[in-house]
Amino acid sequence: MDKMISYLLLLGNIVLLVTGQVLFKIGLGRSGGLHWGKIITSPMIIGGVALYGIATLLWFAVLTRLPLSVAYPMQAFAYVLAMIPAYYLFKETITPLKLAGVIVILIGVYMLAKS
């Protein structure tokens, strides 16, 4: 049960990081690019930063429960999750090569979880 909680905390951290990145992408798009005056007042950017702050607190909890050599590489799962909003929200192309990379990452994350 304790190991399950550790991995749920890690998953929460990853989901928050990916969601923060999505908010950053939306905020940058709405501000017209890298315009600092608009970025620092963007609700999307501020929301992304807030999610990163919460993710950092979860990461602290993860580091107290899992070895760094397991937890940190498992954050590669963020690349997999990020493909979903990239495709659906931003209409990015998912090529066969990208899918192959996702499969490799998933295999690696699975192997780490089983170790």
Side-chain angles (χ1 to χ4, degrees):
M1 181 69 166
D2 191 47
K3 196 170 187 180
M4 169 92 80
I5 292 170
S6 300
Y7 286 116
L8 286 173
L9 289 169
L10 180 57
L11 180 61
N13 167 267
I14 293 167
V15 168
L16 289 171
L17 291 174
V18 171
T19 305
Q21 287 294 325
V22 169
L23 292 178
F24 290 160
K25 177 82 171 162
I26 293 169
L28 287 166
R30 289 183 180 174
S31 71
L34 198 56
H35 303 289
W36 292 106
K38 292 179 182 178
I39 289 172
I40 62 173
T41 60
S42 165
M44 292 294 179
I45 300 291
I46 294 167
V49 170
L51 290 181
Y52 260 58
I54 297 166
T56 299
L57 296 176
L58 280 180
W59 182 242
F60 293 162
V62 169
L63 289 177
T64 64
R65 296 168 166 267
L66 293 173
L68 182 63
S69 62
V70 172
Y72 193 67
M74 288 187 77
Q75 283 195 325
F77 189 59
Y79 295 113
V80 176
L81 289 183
M83 298 283 274
I84 298 167
Y87 180 78
Y88 287 106
L89 295 177
F90 306 118
K91 308 300 181 209
E92 295 180 14
T93 304
I94 308 294
T95 64
L97 195 56
K98 287 179 185 176
L99 284 176
V102 163
I103 291 168
V104 169
I105 290 170
L106 287 172
I107 291 168
V109 167
Y110 174 78
M111 291 171 68
L112 281 166
K114 286 298 186 180
S115 67

